Each structure stands twice: as C-alpha cells, then as structure tokens.
Amino acid sequence: MAYQFTLDETKPVQHITKTFGTIPRIPQYRMEDKSFGDWKLKTFKLGLAQGYWSTVSNQSEASGGHNIALIKNGETVMSVTPMECESHLIPCNNAKGNVVIAGLGLAMITINLLEKKAVKKITVLEIDDGIIDLYPDILAGKDHKLWCDNIASGRLQIIKQDCTKPISAEIKKEDWAH
C-alpha cells in the first residue's frame, strides 16, 4: 500500500505540526540587498505561496511580507519560502546530540537547531568562503546573538569543506565525528 498524506484543510497548521512537528521559524535577517563576489542576497515580496504540505502559506507576513534569497550567478540557491521551511520539519524536530549540516545557505536549519537543548553541538560544512563570511552579519536581533554566543562557546563550528568530496582525516578527528 502506498503512503498517502491528506491535509486537514480546516486546520492545516495543526495537522502539519501534529504529523511532523513544529514548523521551523524564519530567522531574523537584516533585510537588505547585498552583492559579494558571484553571490547576491536579494529581498523579495512573496505573498501567499504553497509549501510541500501546505496549500497556501502567509509565512512571509512575519517579516512584513519580505523574504530573502541567496543567489549565485543569477540562480537561486536558497530562499525563505514555505517549501524551504517545510523541508526542515523532519530534520529540525528529530535532531539531537552532535549534528552535522552540509551547507550553510541562509542558516535557517542551523538557527532552529541552535534553539534545541537536545542538540549538543552543530558542525556546518561549507565550501564557499563568501557564504561563511556572511555570518553573523546577515542575521539580526536575537538570532545574531544566538549565533555569536554559540560560536564563542564552541557549540557551533563552521568548517570549510566540499561536501561532495571525502572528508579529510583531520576533519574526521573533530568531536562531531565520534
């Protein structure tokens, strides 16, 4: 028998959270357009949009209707949309212990995991110095502080690494690998 998921259209958010867990929150960003090398941060208006499970979402209203996208050479790599938020549902709700994240992007999953007491350490593997250099400056408010505090304590570390290549022996010696 094939798996089927039917959304309770009378209470969609409650149905999604009961099935998968809490919907990850959108981090606070400094909502400004910025270019750096081949990369660009661009704000955009989203309005109502569809997610993986939600048929319509107004999640961008939390940021005044503005969202942010990370673009490389004209192609969107990551953007704050209902699909992006919903794609983090299962990993965010099930993560615990030492967590490794492949790619930093807009750090949505990283910020959400930093708020979980069950997550003891987060290691983000990121190949691009330009992306690494964005942080914590693109974050605002409590998320900027959350990032800085966790970097300072060692609970969050960013390692320059191409995730499509074998991980070096030196990086494997890190605490997260055990």
Side-chain angles (χ1 to χ4, degrees):
M1 181 161 129
Y3 173 79
Q4 288 186 319
F5 177 80
T6 304
L7 185 63
D8 178 350
E9 293 188 21
T10 61
K11 297 180 181 177
V13 173
Q14 293 87 341
H15 188 82
I16 290 169
T17 56
K18 181 179 178 187
T19 305
F20 298 107
T22 306
I23 296 173
R25 74 172 182 81
I26 299 168
Q28 294 175 324
Y29 298 103
R30 294 180 191 211
M31 299 301 275
E32 56 192 33
D33 291 355
K34 179 179 181 176
S35 293
F36 51 103
D38 295 336
W39 293 93
K40 180 187 260 187
L41 282 171
K42 182 162 179 55
T43 57
F44 64 97
K45 283 263 195 194
L46 182 64
L48 297 176
Q50 184 173 339
Y52 284 105
W53 296 288
S54 60
T55 53
V56 175
S57 172
N58 66 347
Q59 56 109 120
S60 67
E61 296 305 311
S63 57
H66 285 85
N67 287 12
I68 193 163
L70 181 61
I71 300 166
K72 183 172 187 179
N73 297 324
E75 284 194 45
T76 301
V77 174
M78 183 178 183
S79 59
V80 177
T81 63
M83 280 194 172
E84 191 70 41
C85 291
E86 290 177 22
S87 74
H88 293 113
L89 273 166
I90 295 169
C92 278
N93 286 295
N94 290 294
K96 60 184 176 200
N98 294 341
V99 177
V100 178
I101 299 171
L104 186 51
L106 290 169
M108 184 185 300
I109 196 164
T110 304
I111 292 294
N112 278 273
L113 293 182
L114 286 172
E115 294 180 321
K116 288 187 72 171
K117 287 181 174 41
V119 174
K120 302 302 176 199
K121 184 168 186 176
I122 301 172
T123 301
V124 180
L125 306 176
E126 173 59 55
I127 188 173
D128 196 293
D129 286 323
I131 299 297
I132 294 168
D133 292 344
L134 285 175
Y135 292 91
D137 294 337
I138 69 164
L139 298 171
K142 71 177 184 174
D143 292 323
H144 185 272
K145 181 176 179 4
L146 181 67
W147 185 277
C148 292
D149 289 350
N150 281 278
I151 285 284
S153 73
R155 182 173 175 238
L156 171 62
Q157 67 174 343
I158 313 300
I159 295 176
K160 184 172 177 169
Q161 167 71 40
D162 182 346
C163 295
T164 66
K165 305 252 188 305
I167 296 174
S168 72
E170 181 179 318
I171 292 175
K172 286 181 181 178
K173 289 179 185 175
E174 296 285 333
D175 284 343
W176 65 267
H178 303 292

